[in-house]
Every structure is written in structure tokens, then in C-alpha cells.
Amino acid sequence: MFAEIRRIDRTFAGLGIDLPKECQDASALANAALAATNTPAIQDLHDGILSGTITPKNIAAKLTDSAISIMAAERIHTAAEGTQSAVNDIYFSALKAHADKLVAALRPAFDEAAAIIQTAGKHFAADANERDILNAGMEAVNAWHNLAAAKATMMQITNARAVIAEAERDNTSPYLHYITGQHTQAELWQAEAEYTGVGHGLHNLARAGFTLHLNTKAEAQKLADTARTRTEQAQARAEAARIAESKQDSSLAFEMAARAAQ
């Protein structure tokens, strides 16, 4: 019960990021509901017998109290399950409302890890062996020593970024959350292939020459819009050049035909 919001709490706590107060309040409500479903009745009987506080004289009353507690706990569990929808609505609405702030809070850790992955990508591929890394020089070696920790941090960050995207109902392709620059559509297709290919997606992107950056939903959408616009403009220029060349060829052919007729 409440497994999803408890998982999200752990994800952001692991990165040292405080969730919005509304999320914290919803989590507190969920935790209180969970606590209410737990009954120590059986354990109390066990401990009471061992400690000698439960005797032949009072054991019947203690058993009755425990039975009532157990029955109540079963009913409370059902009732608590009925609160999940409302608690989740509050929690995810707060995530959505604070999405850009949460992305900004993730950026310092992202940038630190990205700097290591970017350097590694400049010198060696994700599947490089130790000889490749040594041959690439000291900068590559230093990046390699810190690479495992950087990628572990990135896994936490990408998990958190996916949570934010889900809360926003953001259907942008995930790779667009992690790069910046002015790209054509063909370049973005390459980026997607690198991100979803074999190996570590962000390392692959860095290796392919893309600059890593943690984007908000609007920034990711702008990347896609810019690529579409640049591609359309390039196609329009190519079409205009083709038409101009066609006209030139036609004019030249007309002139040559005219001269031949003289």
C-alpha cells in the first residue's frame, strides 16, 4: 500500500532533495494510515506470557482484546486502501506543480556527474577496456576512476527525472531530457539511437559529441521544435536552390536553342 509514493520519497531522499510540502504532507498521511493497520496484538501476547504479565486468570481477557484488535486491523487495512487515490492525487499534483523546481534541484548533482561522463565520452566508448583507457591519457584515466560513481548517481537522477515526467504527463522522448544544443532532426534521431543503444545511454551521447544537460519539459520540447524548424528551413533552402538551378538550366537550354535556330 502506498508503495509508489514511498519509492519516490526514497529516490529523492537518496539525492538529498526535499519534496514539496504537499508531497511531504501526503506521505505523512500515508505513513500514518499504514501505521494504523499494524497491530502488535500477537506480539503483545507473546511478550506478556514470557514476562509473566499474562496469567491463567487474565489470559481469556487478553485473548479477547487481541482478537478484537486483529479484527479491527483487518477492517482498517481495507479502509486505508480506500485512501490511496486521494493521497496519490495530492502527491502527484504537487509534483506536477513543482516540476521545474525539482528539475532545477537535480541539476547540481547532474552537472557534477555529467562532467565526468562527458570527459569519459570524449576519450573512450562505454565498452572500452583498460588498455584503451590507459592509452587515452591521464584525463581519461581520472574520468574512468570516477565513472562508476557518476553513473550510479545518474541512475538515481534519471529515475527521479522519469518520476517528474510521469507527474507532468510528459510524453517527450526521454533522451531529450538530457542534451542541449541546436540540432537538426537527423541529429536528434542519432541522439535517440545513442541513448537507447547498447551500453550506458548518457555515455553514448557524450561519446557521440552531444552536450549533456538536464532539461525541463519546456526545454526538452524546445529542442524538438528547434530541430523540426531547422530541418524544415534546410529543406526549404534545398528546394529553392533546386528550383533556381532548374530555371537556370531551362534558360540556358532556351538560349542555346534560340541560337541554333538562327
Side-chain angles (χ1 to χ4, degrees):
M1 193 174 0
F2 301 110
E4 189 169 14
I5 65 175
R6 291 159 65 197
R7 174 184 62 80
I8 294 170
D9 283 349
R10 290 193 299 270
T11 296
F12 282 89
L15 290 163
I17 295 173
D18 292 331
L19 288 171
K21 184 179 182 303
E22 300 93 327
C23 289
Q24 296 179 34
D25 291 345
S27 290
L29 193 59
N31 290 333
L34 283 169
T37 65
N38 296 324
T39 175
I42 301 299
Q43 187 63 44
D44 286 349
L45 285 173
H46 177 273
D47 295 343
I49 290 171
L50 292 179
S51 67
T53 58
I54 293 179
T55 67
K57 291 182 178 180
N58 67 9
I59 191 169
K62 293 292 186 180
L63 287 171
T64 300
D65 290 344
S66 294
I68 292 170
S69 295
I70 292 169
M71 290 176 63
E74 291 175 353
R75 300 296 186 271
I76 289 173
H77 192 281
T78 301
E81 287 180 339
T83 68
Q84 283 193 94
S85 178
V87 171
N88 285 345
D89 282 349
I90 294 170
Y91 190 94
F92 283 97
S93 293
L95 286 180
K96 180 179 180 180
H98 295 271
D100 287 357
K101 291 180 181 178
L102 288 171
V103 171
L106 289 169
R107 277 183 179 148
F110 180 93
D111 291 343
E112 184 176 350
I116 296 167
I117 295 173
Q118 200 85 58
T119 300
K122 181 173 70 173
H123 293 292
F124 56 86
D127 60 351
N129 57 40
E130 291 184 2
R131 177 173 294 180
D132 294 333
I133 295 164
L134 288 171
N135 289 340
M138 283 307 301
E139 187 178 53
V141 172
N142 290 335
W144 179 79
H145 278 304
N146 297 307
L147 191 57
K151 288 183 176 179
T153 298
M154 278 302 194
M155 180 175 291
Q156 291 179 287
I157 294 171
T158 54
N159 287 342
R161 185 65 188 85
V163 166
I164 297 169
E166 182 181 358
E168 288 192 285
R169 297 293 187 267
D170 179 7
N171 59 2
T172 305
S173 296
Y175 75 96
L176 291 173
H177 292 145
Y178 304 116
I179 60 173
T180 190
Q182 302 287 317
H183 300 291
T184 64
Q185 188 60 60
E187 290 168 340
L188 289 190
W189 286 333
Q190 181 194 359
E192 183 172 23
E194 298 290 350
Y195 184 75
T196 57
V198 177
H200 191 274
L202 296 181
H203 192 143
N204 293 345
L205 286 169
R207 182 65 175 165
F210 292 94
T211 300
L212 301 180
H213 184 267
L214 189 63
N215 294 321
T216 63
K217 177 182 178 180
E219 289 167 338
Q221 290 177 337
K222 185 177 180 181
L223 269 177
D225 292 341
T226 298
R228 185 163 49 251
T229 299
R230 292 189 70 193
T231 300
E232 290 172 351
Q233 290 174 341
Q235 290 173 342
R237 288 194 297 270
E239 179 65 12
R242 186 192 66 77
I243 292 172
E245 184 179 358
S246 177
K247 287 181 177 178
Q248 184 178 8
D249 290 344
S250 297
S251 298
L252 180 59
F254 177 81
E255 183 177 350
M256 291 178 64
R259 288 181 179 179
Q262 291 177 353

